[in-house]
Amino acid sequence: MRTTTALPAAILAVLGISFGLTTPSPAPADEGVWTLDHLPVRALQTAYGFTPTPEWVEHVQKASVAFPGGSAAFVSEDGLVITNHHVARGQIQKLSTPEHDYLRDGFYARTQAEELPCPDLELRVLVTMEDVTARVRAAVDPKAAPKAQAAQLRAVQAKLEKEFSDRTRLQGRFVELYRGGEYWLYGYRRYTDVRLVMAPEGQAAYYGGDWDNFTYPRHDLDIAFVRVYENGKPVKPERWFRWSAQGPLADDLVFVSGHPGTTRRQLTVAQLEYLRDLQHPIRLGQLERRMAALQAFAATGDEPARRARSTILSVANNIKRTRGYLDVLRDPSLIEQKRREEMDLRRRVAANPQVAAETRGAWERIAAAGRELRRRHREHLYRDLDRTATLVGIATQIVRHASETEKPNELRLPEFRETQLETQRFRMFSPAPVYPDVDAVVLATLLDDARRALGPRDPWVKLALGGREPADVAGELMERTRVGDVGFRRVLVQGGSAAVRASDDPLIAWVRALEPLNRELRDWHEAQVQTVESMEAGRIARARFALDGKAIYPDATGTLRLSYGSVKGYEDGSTRVPWKTTFLGLYDRAEAFDGRRPFDLPPLVAGARAKLDLATPLNFVSTCDIIGGNSGSPVLNRNLEFVGIVFDGNIPAFRWDYDYDDVQARCVAVHSAGILEALRRIYGMDRLADELTGGKMATR
Amino acid sequence: MRTTTALPAAILAVLGISFGLTTPSPAPADEGVWTLDHLPVRALQTAYGFTPTPEWVEHVQKASVAFPGGSAAFVSEDGLVITNHHVARGQIQKLSTPEHDYLRDGFYARTQAEELPCPDLELRVLVTMEDVTARVRAAVDPKAAPKAQAAQLRAVQAKLEKEFSDRTRLQGRFVELYRGGEYWLYGYRRYTDVRLVMAPEGQAAYYGGDWDNFTYPRHDLDIAFVRVYENGKPVKPERWFRWSAQGPLADDLVFVSGHPGTTRRQLTVAQLEYLRDLQHPIRLGQLERRMAALQAFAATGDEPARRARSTILSVANNIKRTRGYLDVLRDPSLIEQKRREEMDLRRRVAANPQVAAETRGAWERIAAAGRELRRRHREHLYRDLDRTATLVGIATQIVRHASETEKPNELRLPEFRETQLETQRFRMFSPAPVYPDVDAVVLATLLDDARRALGPRDPWVKLALGGREPADVAGELMERTRVGDVGFRRVLVQGGSAAVRASDDPLIAWVRALEPLNRELRDWHEAQVQTVESMEAGRIARARFALDGKAIYPDATGTLRLSYGSVKGYEDGSTRVPWKTTFLGLYDRAEAFDGRRPFDLPPLVAGARAKLDLATPLNFVSTCDIIGGNSGSPVLNRNLEFVGIVFDGNIPAFRWDYDYDDVQARCVAVHSAGILEALRRIYGMDRLADELTGGKMATR
């Protein structure tokens, strides 16, 4: 058989073309965690033809919820709030008992009456914001010594916060933006009667465990629902997000409204090098040792495993995150790029005499503060106990509360100012269960680390250990202390300084003895490092404003921000990664691993395969700019419908701590359609699904 | 609520442990493409407690099939052969017509009568092997000039091959192992009546297209079935593999029996640098330009797209592979490792006086041959036309056949020796359709490349183009030649040299004119490069044998080899990759990309979702050592049951061209259970499925 066709001349003409990699036209960078007073209106209009109205912005603000350690959103007129399972994990753990392991098995309120009050959960909604930069700057003398500047800054903050709270009847919180370039007061409405409505099984929420954490494609139902009450009734929030049953489609414009914790994009190169060389490696070592000890503890039985579960998950998360941050910082290209940017900025500053005069010495003084920090970094990093062991934290709160509340408001530590006391007491008197055995494990590793790093003759180590072994000290303190008893705490706090001084509780006595050294260190850090960095970085930020106008957004500070971007996949290695996953992918992963841990399915999920529409989207990615703290943030479409909930970034998004790019880095969210499908067909939670689609509590 | 438990002393005791990355005990390396006469018996016994019997080895050998460009296997007593769709692609293309696009739509013989004879497919089975190293070495004078050595080598090969074929009645083929360390004669049984039984749609076989090629997780039904006939009846093969309906499980020991094409693990560093610096980059550039031209051609209509399909897929495959090889070679760690290994070997050689004497000058002479190759590399790489444009290839065959067959057997080019002529004529007189338009596109880019690289004044370029444009020359040659006509070819070949000399066919005349320059180049390469490399690398290989015993396997040479390994997944980035994929994953991928090309499903596959057991395994990976040419190799369990068919390696396996490791590199195969499920529930090919499970043709 022979085949011929005439040779089209057109074909032969194409042969002259030369083939190569074509440069794609640069995509608009969907960069920034923007404050709501300062949105990138022009970029949004240019890239997406969208301009938010004031009403739109107010809606975002008032339907967004600050959840401790993360973000959340109102999703019905009856105070229903959605967040991530892993954000609510601490509360679910606190609600669990040896008889009801809700973290493992999930919790499902079939009626409103079954909703379970969270022991110590405080949610907040941002109601108003005021720029107080001018008043703060006027109160701090830039020529004073660092210690004096620190005192001036503390005093003016206390004064402004108090005035603001008295005037607005809201909880005022001081917010430093642009690393000192601006100072604001944010006013919050607080909610403390919050009840758990639904949480899936830990294995459904965290499918794939530590392996799949920070990974995409992902298949997690990382959701939890709580309801906010006031005066025993579901609250009627001022604003809430309607639920999109369809959810987002490929290439949709979406927004993320939430509370990103910390980004380090506006740090100097010297500051980044400190993180790379000292802070991250030391923290990572501490976390890894803590993990080993906790796992050994958990391996001793089902009940120890249950008690330690939330702590272990949180430590594992921090290990993987810290490793990711270190990988980014150790990539020489990142530091090189930062160095180029810094040199470029300094050149432009130097070229403008007025700006140069106002910025003179700023980088040098930050570098000097960095050298001071390096000098004492071991003490700074290894004496830091109270954030990790619950009972040590509570004991420290009690000891400090006694001494601080005796001082005038302007002289106190920021967290003990008048305006913050209610929140402090809410935490100190939490009826949540404490686990002295878990605390002992954690405290012992911290003490062991400190001794190793600071040496046995360090004054703090000597005081803390008294020549004994860390495990013995921690074990004895935790076994004998009564700080786990809320009644005991109340009596101590009511007794004030005298009661604390007189207490023979071993943990209180131990914290009390260490407190002078801890306070000295904290005061040193505040004056010699924090205040210098804030003052000088503030100068640099204002230099930027002077040169470029206010074209940038501030580094994340745990306060409300809006990001925007496109729903889209990316290339990875040799192939493409799709913008979404489906339930098909979840069951595929379970089958592909032969159901081996941590890729096994909880029984309800395994049993629902035939009932589900398997093609329903489960997770999806977008280019929205996020960071830790954004977990639980609603993903919204341009009509402010809820289309998903952020719960992770992929591995390339670790870079976002220092620099945004959208080549591969993505924000990972649970898809709103997948949530509905799961509620109805896996969990039989039609009551909840109906409330989401109807916008109010179902009346069945 | 407060909870306490006694602090178990055991917990506190663990706190002393120091946490870190534990080093896993090194897994046995499942390395090697072993010849069947020299299997790694001890390693297999140690790692897997398995020792193959002679009967086992003979079964592997005789049930394995050499398929042009790949591998295959007998899977029923009635001559049924399975290979990859992409290995059979050329034949499926040749069977297609404007009315029946089997490459796109698949082919399904519902009865034996519908099986479709392939136009020019020759399958071979290895029947016997003889080591002729001593006779070859005795015939070559190591002190002679390279040109004389080349002639001696050619002559002894021709003589041995002829003797062997006359004696065994098999097709003898000369095989050089260990890059010259050993010489063998392999005797093959040939089959030329082969009929297509079943091929799925191109999109099912090659799901995910170029994106997913060389990628895992993968979801491809890359299979095709043919049946071998003799005397008009299905052949009864001496051995065939029984089908495992269950297929492999995680951690199973498996074997791959096939025809790996070329590995470069035993090259010197200088040879690797030639590949890295010149050969791969130049080939890649050629491929990319050819691709651009072919795509432009295919874009002109459905019929051009159909004609160019197989060529485009093959070029795309080569581009991705060559890029992968380049990435590996450009990773400095690979070359450094190779340099260390080479220095270590040379040190050990030098330390043994006898071995040193026999190896003296070997590396230096290979390096000198490499310099000679670099000197003429442009001619060598850019004048190479006949393997790429079908009609140029046939015309070259005709011209050479005429001149070579007039010479004594010992002086001929290897492919025109007595023993090979049947195969040559089978190809020359193939009735398969030719596409002069596709050929013109390919030839024009080759000529354009050659002119660019060699310059318009190069004698070969001047002869080839005569001062005209490449597209004009190629277009005119292809439009006017009659070489596409099989009758025309037969007349020319029968007429011998005289007919060729007298022919006024423009393509014959053009090839004839270029032939003296092409032959000069080929003779130079054979004498100055190939023979030197073979002789000297042979010396190095024998030095290895002398030092270590024959502990190694030879680089792949396109001849039958056995690999072994475990079915297992691996870690990638932050997570684990499972050992298998399932149909759930296939449908997930299609849904996740919203069915966009190339992630769309063909209609039969899309329609079968509800009928399939979706958890059936589709593809799986193992640590078996493979390389291009292994495509279509059966994967076998220790009982010699067929459990899958190799069709790809993942991206890390590109490294296997130069060095084996099993950290992430994997061999990718279609799972035997997935094939059965697809045949029955997607394609309704119960006849075929029954033959596989029953081992013989179904009688329904």
Side-chain angles (χ1 to χ4, degrees):
Chain A
M1 177 171 29
R2 181 180 172 215
T3 328
T4 28
T5 52
L7 293 168
I11 290 13
L12 298 174
V14 305
L15 298 172
I17 67 172
S18 120
F19 185 83
L21 288 171
T22 54
T23 318
S25 57
D30 301 329
E31 174 170 0
V33 285
W34 300 88
T35 52
L36 294 193
D37 62 290
H38 176 57
L39 294 177
V41 179
R42 202 169 312 162
L44 266 172
Q45 181 59 44
T46 307
Y48 295 101
F50 176 79
T51 299
T53 63
E55 155 63 19
W56 190 98
V57 176
E58 188 187 351
H59 194 110
V60 167
Q61 177 185 318
K62 294 190 173 165
S64 298
V65 174
F67 202 108
S71 304
F74 282 117
V75 284
S76 95
E77 66 171 54
D78 290 308
L80 187 66
V81 166
I82 186 169
T83 186
N84 289 146
H85 186 274
H86 81 269
V87 169
R89 192 159 60 201
Q91 293 297 322
I92 304 170
Q93 171 92 54
K94 288 171 184 174
L95 288 169
S96 295
T97 62
E99 294 72 40
H100 295 287
D101 188 347
Y102 298 131
L103 212 47
R104 186 188 60 201
D105 303 329
F107 173 80
Y108 316 95
R110 302 288 168 195
T111 63
Q112 196 197 326
E114 287 178 19
E115 295 176 357
L116 213 54
C118 297
D120 56 2
L121 179 56
E122 176 182 304
L123 303 187
R124 290 177 293 119
V125 171
L126 176 61
V127 178
T128 186
M129 301 175 272
E130 283 182 27
D131 184 352
V132 292
T133 312
R135 293 183 65 186
V136 172
R137 273 202 269 166
V140 180
D141 174 6
K143 298 207 182 69
K147 212 165 168 173
Q149 287 193 30
Q152 290 161 358
L153 191 57
R154 205 187 263 191
V156 69
Q157 286 183 359
K159 181 162 163 279
L160 291 173
E161 210 176 84
K162 181 76 167 50
E163 276 179 24
F164 175 87
S165 299
D166 290 348
R167 172 161 46 85
T168 60
R169 318 303 304 164
L170 297 168
Q171 184 178 58
R173 290 207 181 185
F174 216 84
V175 178
E176 180 185 291
L177 298 178
Y178 303 96
R179 301 207 160 264
E182 290 184 354
Y183 298 98
W184 287 70
L185 273 165
Y186 278 24
Y188 293 95
R189 187 165 296 135
R190 297 172 60 236
Y191 299 103
T192 54
D193 183 355
V194 186
R195 306 185 189 171
L196 185 62
V197 177
M198 185 268 179
E201 312 90 329
Q203 180 60 7
Y206 194 58
Y207 183 76
D210 193 44
W211 282 116
D212 280 3
N213 196 15
F214 298 111
T215 297
Y216 186 79
R218 192 82 180 273
H219 307 90
D220 287 9
L221 270 171
D222 194 351
I223 53 165
F225 289 93
V226 296
R227 192 183 305 283
V228 174
Y229 284 72
E230 258 182 348
N231 307 318
K233 285 188 184 152
V235 80
K236 296 283 181 190
E238 208 177 322
R239 304 295 173 106
W240 51 276
F241 297 118
R242 287 187 188 281
W243 196 273
S244 165
Q246 180 194 266
L249 299 178
D251 304 319
D252 274 3
L253 166 65
V254 286
F255 300 87
V256 167
S257 161
H259 299 76
T262 309
T263 51
R264 284 103 160 190
R265 299 181 193 168
Q266 287 153 18
L267 292 188
T268 66
V269 170
Q271 289 174 310
L272 293 176
E273 286 169 338
Y274 174 75
L275 294 174
R276 180 192 64 189
D277 301 339
L278 296 174
Q279 182 169 314
H280 286 336
I282 286 175
R283 287 276 184 248
L284 184 57
Q286 291 177 308
L287 289 164
E288 284 172 342
R289 285 183 292 272
R290 193 179 309 159
M291 185 59 143
L294 284 164
Q295 285 179 329
F297 170 75
T300 59
D302 285 351
E303 175 60 9
R306 185 191 71 77
R307 289 159 163 260
R309 185 164 296 140
S310 158
T311 309
I312 284 177
L313 290 171
S314 147
V315 173
N317 188 54
N318 279 330
I319 287 174
K320 202 160 178 181
R321 186 205 310 271
T322 308
R323 281 198 192 129
Y325 286 168
L326 262 177
D327 284 346
V328 173
L329 286 174
R330 285 173 175 165
D331 172 359
S333 74
L334 187 268
I335 294 279
E336 270 165 38
Q337 174 196 324
K338 287 288 181 176
R339 204 182 303 278
R340 274 197 309 276
E341 288 171 5
E342 187 169 305
M343 279 166 56
D344 176 60
L345 177 60
R346 293 182 72 166
R347 251 194 303 271
R348 294 196 298 129
V349 165
N352 182 320
Q354 196 188 333
V355 174
E358 282 167 13
T359 318
R360 186 154 300 133
W363 279 279
E364 291 78 2
R365 277 191 288 270
I366 291 177
R371 286 191 295 276
E372 177 68 11
L373 178 58
R374 279 182 180 248
R375 191 174 67 81
R376 297 190 71 181
H377 76 272
R378 281 197 191 79
E379 297 161 87
H380 180 59
L381 293 171
Y382 285 103
R383 289 188 188 171
D384 186 19
L385 304 184
D386 55 326
R387 287 188 313 180
T388 41
T390 313
L391 285 168
V392 177
I394 296 172
T396 305
Q397 263 187 309
I398 293 170
V399 170
R400 287 198 181 152
H401 182 272
S403 59
E404 291 299 298
T405 51
E406 286 175 350
K407 298 176 188 170
N409 196 38
E410 302 80 42
L411 298 184
R412 294 183 194 170
L413 292 172
E415 66 269 29
F416 291 99
R417 288 179 199 142
E418 293 290 348
T419 46
Q420 310 307 324
L421 281 184
E422 212 172 326
T423 292
Q424 280 297 330
R425 289 178 185 142
F426 183 69
R427 288 186 200 157
M428 270 193 294
F429 304 141
S430 161
V434 291
Y435 303 128
D437 45 0
V438 178
D439 268 8
V441 170
V442 170
L443 180 59
T445 64
L446 286 166
L447 290 173
D448 194 48
D449 279 343
R451 186 175 62 174
R452 204 189 310 249
L454 303 171
R457 272 169 303 202
D458 171 86
W460 187 91
V461 171
K462 277 161 86 172
L463 256 181
L465 292 178
R468 300 169 65 208
E469 284 304 303
D472 296 336
V473 172
E476 197 174 287
L477 286 175
M478 291 305 157
E479 199 154 12
R480 298 201 186 155
T481 184
R482 294 176 59 206
V483 170
D485 177 344
V486 180
F488 177 78
R489 297 177 211 164
R490 286 193 184 279
V491 171
L492 265 184
V493 169
Q494 274 160 9
S497 272
V500 166
R501 263 196 308 275
S503 173
D504 61 356
D505 182 88
L507 185 58
I508 294 289
W510 189 77
V511 166
R512 196 177 56 207
L514 291 171
E515 183 63 4
L517 288 179
N518 288 344
R519 279 304 303 270
E520 184 278 331
L521 190 69
R522 180 165 168 173
D523 291 345
W524 157 81
H525 187 258
E526 184 186 342
Q528 305 299 329
V529 183
Q530 273 183 311
T531 304
V532 176
E533 287 182 350
S534 172
M535 288 294 127
E536 304 306 329
R539 241 183 270 275
I540 294 173
R542 291 193 295 275
R544 266 188 227 272
F545 298 160
L547 291 171
D548 303 330
K550 201 169 135 182
I552 54 168
Y553 56 90
D555 256 331
T557 50
T559 50
L560 187 63
R561 303 296 178 91
L562 188 72
S563 313
Y564 66 98
S566 299
V567 172
K568 64 175 173 187
Y570 52 98
E571 290 181 28
D572 187 23
S574 57
T575 191
R576 286 198 59 78
V577 179
W579 70 271
K580 69 178 169 191
T581 63
T582 73
F583 282 99
L584 285 158
L586 172 65
Y587 290 102
D588 173 61
R589 201 155 172 79
E591 293 288 346
F593 282 107
D594 301 314
R596 289 187 198 172
R597 291 216 147 195
F599 302 102
D600 52 316
L601 294 171
L604 281 179
V605 178
R609 195 171 111 193
K611 286 182 277 180
L612 288 168
D613 176 353
L614 292 171
T616 310
L618 181 50
N619 292 167
F620 71 99
V621 285
S622 67
T623 59
C624 293
D625 194 351
I626 55 149
I627 203 78
N630 266 119
S631 282
S633 298
V635 186
L636 309 165
N637 64 19
R638 59 177 82 200
N639 302 321
L640 290 185
E641 289 168 320
F642 178 99
V643 296
I645 184 163
V646 173
F647 72 100
D648 205 2
N650 61 0
I651 292 279
F654 281 132
R655 190 180 172 96
W656 286 357
D657 196 29
Y658 313 102
D659 183 50
Y660 177 90
D661 84 89
D662 64 2
V663 179
Q664 292 192 312
R666 291 291 183 276
C667 158
V668 187
V670 192
H671 195 281
S672 63
I675 296 172
L676 281 187
E677 185 74 5
L679 290 178
R680 293 196 192 279
R681 313 248 179 122
I682 298 177
Y683 300 107
M685 293 287 285
D686 286 308
R687 183 182 83 95
L688 184 53
D690 290 347
E691 179 168 353
L692 294 174
T693 52
K696 56 184 175 187
M697 244 192 287
T699 49
R700 47 163 112 184
Chain B
M1 180 174 22
R2 183 180 173 215
T3 328
T4 29
T5 51
L7 292 169
I11 289 19
L12 299 174
V14 305
L15 298 172
I17 66 171
S18 120
F19 184 84
L21 288 173
T22 55
T23 319
S25 58
D30 302 329
E31 175 170 359
V33 285
W34 300 87
T35 51
L36 293 195
D37 62 290
H38 176 57
L39 295 177
V41 178
R42 202 169 311 162
L44 265 172
Q45 181 58 42
T46 307
Y48 295 101
F50 175 78
T51 300
T53 63
E55 155 64 20
W56 190 97
V57 176
E58 188 188 350
H59 194 111
V60 167
Q61 177 186 318
K62 295 191 174 164
S64 299
V65 175
F67 201 108
S71 304
F74 281 117
V75 285
S76 95
E77 65 172 52
D78 291 308
L80 187 65
V81 166
I82 185 169
T83 186
N84 290 147
H85 186 274
H86 81 269
V87 169
R89 193 159 59 202
Q91 293 296 324
I92 304 169
Q93 171 91 55
K94 288 171 184 174
L95 287 170
S96 296
T97 63
E99 293 72 40
H100 294 287
D101 189 346
Y102 297 131
L103 213 46
R104 187 187 60 201
D105 303 329
F107 173 80
Y108 317 94
R110 301 289 168 196
T111 62
Q112 195 196 327
E114 285 177 21
E115 296 176 359
L116 213 53
C118 296
D120 55 3
L121 179 56
E122 176 183 302
L123 303 187
R124 288 178 295 120
V125 171
L126 177 61
V127 177
T128 187
M129 299 176 271
E130 283 183 24
D131 184 350
V132 292
T133 311
R135 294 183 66 185
V136 172
R137 273 202 269 165
V140 179
D141 174 8
K143 299 203 182 73
K147 213 164 169 175
Q149 288 193 29
Q152 289 160 358
L153 192 57
R154 207 189 263 190
V156 68
Q157 287 183 0
K159 182 163 162 274
L160 292 173
E161 213 176 82
K162 182 75 166 48
E163 276 178 26
F164 175 87
S165 299
D166 289 347
R167 171 162 46 85
T168 60
R169 319 301 305 163
L170 298 166
Q171 185 177 58
R173 291 206 180 186
F174 216 85
V175 178
E176 178 186 292
L177 298 177
Y178 302 96
R179 301 209 160 264
E182 291 184 353
Y183 298 97
W184 288 68
L185 274 165
Y186 278 24
Y188 294 94
R189 188 165 295 135
R190 297 170 61 235
Y191 298 104
T192 53
D193 182 355
V194 186
R195 306 187 190 171
L196 184 62
V197 177
M198 185 268 179
E201 313 90 326
Q203 179 61 5
Y206 195 59
Y207 182 76
D210 194 45
W211 282 114
D212 279 3
N213 197 14
F214 298 110
T215 296
Y216 186 79
R218 191 77 181 273
H219 308 89
D220 286 9
L221 270 171
D222 193 351
I223 53 164
F225 290 92
V226 297
R227 192 184 305 282
V228 175
Y229 284 72
E230 259 182 345
N231 307 317
K233 283 183 183 158
V235 80
K236 296 283 179 187
E238 208 178 323
R239 305 294 172 106
W240 52 277
F241 297 117
R242 286 188 188 281
W243 196 273
S244 165
Q246 182 195 263
L249 300 177
D251 304 319
D252 275 2
L253 165 65
V254 286
F255 299 87
V256 167
S257 162
H259 298 78
T262 309
T263 51
R264 284 103 160 189
R265 299 180 193 169
Q266 287 152 17
L267 292 188
T268 65
V269 170
Q271 288 174 309
L272 292 175
E273 286 170 341
Y274 174 75
L275 293 174
R276 180 193 65 190
D277 300 339
L278 295 174
Q279 183 171 315
H280 286 338
I282 285 175
R283 287 277 184 246
L284 184 58
Q286 290 177 308
L287 288 165
E288 284 173 340
R289 285 183 292 270
R290 193 178 312 159
M291 184 60 141
L294 283 165
Q295 285 179 328
F297 170 74
T300 59
D302 285 350
E303 176 59 9
R306 185 191 70 78
R307 292 160 159 257
R309 186 165 294 141
S310 159
T311 308
I312 285 177
L313 290 171
S314 147
V315 173
N317 188 54
N318 279 331
I319 288 175
K320 203 161 177 181
R321 185 204 312 270
T322 307
R323 281 197 192 130
Y325 287 167
L326 262 177
D327 284 346
V328 173
L329 286 175
R330 284 172 175 166
D331 172 359
S333 72
L334 186 269
I335 294 279
E336 271 165 37
Q337 175 195 323
K338 288 287 179 177
R339 205 183 301 280
R340 274 197 309 277
E341 288 170 5
E342 187 169 305
M343 280 166 57
D344 177 58
L345 176 62
R346 294 183 72 165
R347 252 195 302 271
R348 294 197 298 130
V349 164
N352 182 320
Q354 195 187 334
V355 175
E358 281 167 14
T359 318
R360 184 154 301 135
W363 278 281
E364 290 76 3
R365 279 192 285 272
I366 291 177
R371 286 192 295 275
E372 177 67 13
L373 179 59
R374 279 182 181 247
R375 192 175 66 81
R376 297 190 71 179
H377 77 273
R378 280 198 191 78
E379 296 160 88
H380 180 60
L381 295 171
Y382 283 104
R383 289 190 190 169
D384 186 19
L385 304 183
D386 54 325
R387 288 190 311 182
T388 41
T390 313
L391 285 169
V392 177
I394 296 173
T396 305
Q397 264 185 309
I398 292 171
V399 169
R400 288 196 181 154
H401 182 273
S403 59
E404 291 298 299
T405 52
E406 287 176 351
K407 298 178 190 168
N409 195 39
E410 301 80 43
L411 299 182
R412 293 184 195 169
L413 291 173
E415 65 270 30
F416 290 99
R417 288 179 200 141
E418 293 290 346
T419 47
Q420 311 306 324
L421 282 183
E422 213 173 324
T423 293
Q424 281 296 331
R425 288 178 188 142
F426 184 68
R427 287 185 202 154
M428 269 192 294
F429 302 141
S430 162
V434 291
Y435 303 129
D437 45 359
V438 178
D439 269 9
V441 170
V442 171
L443 180 60
T445 63
L446 286 166
L447 292 173
D448 194 45
D449 279 343
R451 185 174 63 175
R452 207 186 308 249
L454 303 170
R457 268 168 306 200
D458 171 85
W460 186 92
V461 171
K462 275 161 85 173
L463 256 181
L465 291 179
R468 300 169 65 208
E469 284 305 302
D472 296 336
V473 172
E476 198 175 287
L477 286 175
M478 292 304 159
E479 198 155 14
R480 297 204 188 154
T481 184
R482 294 176 60 204
V483 170
D485 178 343
V486 180
F488 177 78
R489 297 178 211 162
R490 288 194 184 278
V491 170
L492 265 184
V493 169
Q494 276 159 8
S497 272
V500 167
R501 266 196 306 275
S503 172
D504 61 354
D505 182 88
L507 186 56
I508 295 289
W510 189 78
V511 166
R512 198 175 56 206
L514 291 171
E515 184 63 3
L517 288 179
N518 288 344
R519 279 304 301 271
E520 184 278 330
L521 190 68
R522 181 164 167 175
D523 291 344
W524 158 82
H525 187 258
E526 185 186 341
Q528 306 298 329
V529 183
Q530 273 182 309
T531 304
V532 176
E533 287 181 348
S534 172
M535 288 294 127
E536 304 304 329
R539 244 182 268 273
I540 294 173
R542 291 192 295 274
R544 264 187 228 270
F545 298 161
L547 291 171
D548 303 330
K550 201 170 135 183
I552 54 168
Y553 55 90
D555 256 331
T557 49
T559 49
L560 187 62
R561 302 298 178 92
L562 188 73
S563 315
Y564 66 98
S566 299
V567 172
K568 64 174 173 187
Y570 52 98
E571 290 181 26
D572 187 23
S574 57
T575 192
R576 286 197 59 78
V577 179
W579 69 271
K580 70 178 169 194
T581 63
T582 73
F583 282 99
L584 285 158
L586 171 65
Y587 291 102
D588 173 60
R589 201 153 171 80
E591 292 287 348
F593 280 109
D594 302 314
R596 289 187 198 173
R597 291 216 146 195
F599 302 103
D600 52 318
L601 294 172
L604 281 178
V605 179
R609 194 171 110 196
K611 286 181 277 177
L612 287 168
D613 176 353
L614 292 171
T616 310
L618 180 51
N619 292 166
F620 71 99
V621 285
S622 68
T623 59
C624 293
D625 194 350
I626 55 149
I627 203 77
N630 266 120
S631 283
S633 297
V635 186
L636 309 165
N637 63 20
R638 58 176 84 200
N639 303 320
L640 290 186
E641 289 168 322
F642 177 100
V643 297
I645 184 163
V646 173
F647 72 100
D648 204 4
N650 62 0
I651 292 280
F654 281 132
R655 190 179 172 96
W656 286 356
D657 197 29
Y658 314 102
D659 183 50
Y660 177 90
D661 84 89
D662 64 1
V663 178
Q664 292 191 312
R666 290 294 182 275
C667 158
V668 187
V670 192
H671 195 282
S672 62
I675 296 173
L676 281 187
E677 185 74 6
L679 289 179
R680 292 196 191 281
R681 313 247 178 122
I682 298 176
Y683 300 107
M685 291 288 287
D686 286 307
R687 182 181 84 95
L688 184 53
D690 290 347
E691 180 168 354
L692 294 175
T693 53
K696 57 183 173 188
M697 242 191 288
T699 49
R700 51 159 113 185

